[in-house]
Amino acid sequence: MVVVGIGADGMAGLSPASTAELRRATVVFGSGRQLDMLDSSIGAQRRQWPSPLLDALPTMFDGLGIVHVIASGDPMLHGIGATLIRVFGTDAVRVLPHVSSVTLACARLGWPAHETEVISLVTADPVTAVRRGGQAVVLSRDAGTPAALARLLTESGRGDSEFTVLENLGGADERITRSTAGTFCTRVGDLNVIAVRYLPDVRRAHALPDESFAHDGQITKQSIRAVTLATLGPRPGELLWDVGSGSGSVAVEWCRSSPGCRAVSFERDADRRNRIAMNARAFGVRIDVRSAAPEPFGDVAPPAAVFVGGGVTQPGLIEACVDRLPRQGRLVVNAVTVESEAALAQWYAQKGGELRRFQHYQGGPVGGFTAWRPALPVTQWAWVKP
């Protein structure tokens, strides 16, 4: 199988090797727009991708011999090339890339590519392109994506972000529209990417201050959140269950920690569920907000890790978390009451793991002097399922 990248300039922009491949093809797969770019020198049978595509892929090419695929730009950058290799293997797929829309956008704007994040909204929710600083090239799903992203940035206090929409990059009808997110109101075509410099730039690494989150006081405090995340140990692409989520601060930090991390928050209080969703939108992270655990556990994908920040003494809750964890899954439970500490002591005696207690103090004025004021001590049980 040979995958050939093509730009908005069509066959005129192809390398000799890519042109030769297409001219010897017997069947070419691609989208309707990409297939229409092929001129009369390409005698191959042209077939559009079916929808849905992924389910059909494993047997789609049976009996066809050498198959050619036409794809936009660099097929390995959020493109069909990576999907085909994942399904058929590296040895079965050869890729001839074109210049990507990301490279062209960086060239037009003078942005160093290695300093620019790439975000795809082709299948993702636009909220996942919200950031608190830096710059990114955002791959659009369609003509409505720029307006949707501009609205989200404005609603999250980032209306001053530099917002550039680049249409038909590399084509004869290329167009670049510059504005801010708050003033963007231009009609654009389906073939576009968005370059955003997020302002104000208030990026900060872990752990975030408590005031960064909308909350009602039910929040894992900054210092405890830091040690909790260290114990949870997020890895790229993993799913967290945040049980008794409160403000969702641990879920947000988990999702920010590594590429592809996502979370499911379980919270019984409706107002808190709304705050969790608000915090997820503010940080552009993927959090699925559910009602109280453990009832919704049955229809949620198994987690790599579970954090329990509330409801420790609820009958059956810890048991349900333990049951749903896969092998080598991590469970971290925090407790502040005598009753919940007693429950953790029982689980530690039964399962092992690690039992810790954290106590921290904050300096504050007492008359003309300074004294230490203690926060509630937090007991933590951490366990890995064998």
Side-chain angles (χ1 to χ4, degrees):
M1 183 184 309
V2 182
V3 185
V4 178
I6 192 169
D9 51 355
M11 291 198 62
L14 292 179
S15 69
S18 294
T19 302
E21 277 294 341
L22 290 173
R23 284 178 176 162
R24 77 182 185 90
T26 56
V27 57
V28 179
F29 285 83
S31 70
R33 181 182 64 81
Q34 293 153 359
L35 292 172
D36 287 344
M37 292 181 176
L38 304 181
D39 62 24
S40 59
S41 70
I42 309 302
Q45 181 184 137
R46 305 179 188 191
R47 297 190 184 183
Q48 288 194 39
W49 293 121
S51 181
L53 173 60
L54 288 180
D55 291 341
L57 267 183
T59 59
M60 185 183 302
F61 309 124
D62 289 356
L64 294 179
I66 297 177
V67 169
H68 287 71
V69 172
I70 192 80
S72 292
D74 183 351
M76 297 302 294
L77 185 65
H78 293 283
I80 189 65
T83 301
L84 293 172
I85 288 174
R86 189 164 55 248
V87 173
F88 298 102
T90 303
D91 294 340
V93 182
R94 184 161 66 98
V95 179
L96 299 176
H98 196 274
V99 178
S100 71
S101 58
V102 173
T103 298
L104 290 172
C106 288
R108 300 293 188 268
L109 298 174
W111 287 5
H114 63 278
E115 297 176 2
T116 303
E117 184 181 3
V118 179
I119 305 170
S120 176
L121 296 185
V122 175
T123 58
D125 191 305
V127 74
T128 59
V130 174
R131 297 291 184 271
R132 297 215 158 196
Q135 62 191 36
V137 172
V138 181
L139 308 179
S140 288
R141 177 184 306 171
D142 52 34
T145 304
L149 179 56
R151 182 172 60 255
L152 283 167
L153 290 172
T154 303
E155 290 172 353
S156 64
R158 294 166 184 81
D160 290 336
S161 297
E162 297 173 10
F163 198 84
T164 305
V165 180
L166 305 98
E167 301 174 70
N168 303 311
L169 278 167
D173 54 350
E174 179 178 305
R175 183 172 71 143
I176 299 176
T177 304
R178 302 173 189 266
S179 67
T180 64
T183 60
F184 177 77
C185 59
T186 306
R187 293 176 64 87
V188 299
D190 283 330
L191 192 60
N192 72 81
V193 299
I194 312 157
V196 186
R197 180 168 279 131
Y198 297 93
L199 298 172
D201 192 333
V202 292
R203 285 174 290 177
R204 179 165 176 164
H206 312 297
L208 296 168
D210 295 345
E211 57 268 23
S212 298
F213 301 95
H215 67 90
D216 60 356
Q218 192 73 13
I219 182 173
T220 302
K221 301 299 192 293
Q222 182 184 35
S223 56
I224 300 301
R225 195 181 332 120
V227 296
T228 298
L229 264 292
T231 307
L232 284 166
R235 301 163 189 165
E238 288 190 327
L239 175 68
L240 171 75
W241 285 5
D242 183 5
V243 180
S245 192
S247 67
S249 63
V250 170
V252 168
E253 297 267 26
W254 169 280
C255 293
R256 295 176 68 243
S257 67
S258 199
C261 281
R262 61 205 193 284
V264 181
S265 287
F266 299 91
E267 172 55 54
R268 69 174 60 193
D269 185 272
D271 289 337
R272 288 174 182 164
R273 290 199 297 270
N274 290 334
R275 290 191 190 94
I276 295 167
M278 184 187 310
N279 287 325
R281 289 193 298 272
F283 286 94
V285 295
R286 296 167 59 190
I287 299 177
D288 180 7
V289 184
R290 301 289 184 109
S291 58
E295 287 78 7
F297 282 0
D299 61 348
V300 181
V306 175
F307 170 64
V308 181
V312 174
T313 59
Q314 180 182 338
L317 178 63
I318 302 297
E319 288 90 341
C321 294
V322 168
D323 289 345
R324 289 302 305 277
L325 265 182
R327 290 184 66 251
Q328 299 305 305
R330 291 99 68 196
L331 175 64
V332 177
V333 186
N334 287 358
V336 295
T337 68
V338 171
E339 291 79 7
S340 56
E341 283 186 339
L344 293 194
Q346 291 179 353
W347 279 104
Y348 174 67
Q350 177 186 347
K351 296 285 190 181
E354 296 184 58
L355 194 64
R356 308 181 183 97
R357 171 175 269 203
F358 302 103
Q359 174 75 74
H360 67 280
Y361 297 80
Q362 181 74 38
V366 176
F369 298 92
T370 301
W372 294 109
R373 300 185 186 278
L376 285 174
V378 175
T379 299
Q380 182 181 90
W381 177 53
W383 176 71
V384 178
K385 188 170 184 177

